[in-house]
Amino acid sequence: MGSSATEFLAKAAVYRCFVCFASVFAIFSPACPVLYVSQTGSGADGSSWQTAYKTIGEALAAAAPGTEIWIREGVYPERLVIQQPGLKLRGGFAGDESSLDQRHGGETVIDAQGNGRPLRVNQVSDVILERLTLRRGYAMGFGGALYAPNCPNLTLVMCIIEDSTSFS
């Protein structure tokens, strides 16, 4: 057997081991961490509704890839940038839920107040935006409310974009 065939078989064996390890890790790894955002939280560490971050930006700064961010109903006057892959921003919480199926809150609004985009997803994959209203975005170029260049698998679920403009 030639050296290229030997290298191929060695790489294939390593790949099989990696796939097996990844599969086992996926089965036994804990659920994605959840960070909480509420304008009435203490702002301490975002680990519960009581200690929730007061802004979405604070939660984004603390989030690792794959984190879920649960956002309580209300209007958040922010301009945000998502830079971690796999983040899930979920709005519409009342602030007393412990699981997604208990969600019963009202509207969660990210309001740029006419000073740029409410949200930019910065070249990362597998981001989910759910039950968010992106309001009063203004941008020169593309995406008055949301700009997401080169973002494979960006998913919007029950999101509203309102009162936003972009000019080229």
Side-chain angles (χ1 to χ4, degrees):
M1 203 167 9
S3 68
S4 61
T6 304
E7 287 176 28
F8 173 77
L9 291 174
K11 287 179 184 176
V14 169
Y15 177 74
R16 277 196 308 268
C17 288
F18 176 75
V19 170
C20 290
F21 174 74
S23 298
V24 169
F25 181 73
I27 292 170
F28 294 108
S29 65
C32 293
V34 175
L35 293 176
Y36 298 85
V37 176
S38 172
Q39 294 166 334
T40 61
S42 71
D45 63 9
S47 65
S48 69
W49 287 118
Q50 293 73 30
T51 63
Y53 292 115
K54 292 184 176 287
T55 69
I56 303 166
E58 291 173 310
L60 285 174
T67 299
E68 288 201 21
I69 299 176
W70 291 10
I71 310 164
R72 187 174 180 177
E73 61 194 356
V75 177
Y76 296 82
E78 301 186 58
R79 293 173 46 210
L80 305 168
V81 178
I82 295 176
Q83 300 185 72
Q84 305 92 325
L87 287 187
K88 297 163 187 67
L89 272 67
R90 301 185 193 276
F93 290 93
D96 59 0
E97 299 89 343
S98 59
S99 68
L100 278 175
D101 61 347
Q102 296 173 334
R103 183 170 33 179
H104 61 94
E107 187 176 29
T108 301
V109 178
I110 303 171
D111 188 346
Q113 301 178 322
N115 295 314
R117 297 177 183 95
L119 187 58
R120 177 185 172 116
V121 182
N122 206 17
Q123 299 182 5
V124 293
S125 62
D126 304 313
V127 171
I128 296 174
L129 307 173
E130 184 177 295
R131 292 184 65 175
L132 300 171
T133 297
L134 305 178
R135 181 182 291 161
R136 293 196 296 171
Y138 177 86
M140 297 300 288
F142 299 103
L146 172 64
Y147 185 59
N150 302 316
C151 296
N153 301 322
L154 172 63
T155 304
L156 280 71
V157 179
M158 296 175 52
C159 290
I160 298 170
I161 296 174
E162 64 184 24
D163 197 20
S164 295
T165 306
S166 67
F167 294 97
S168 50

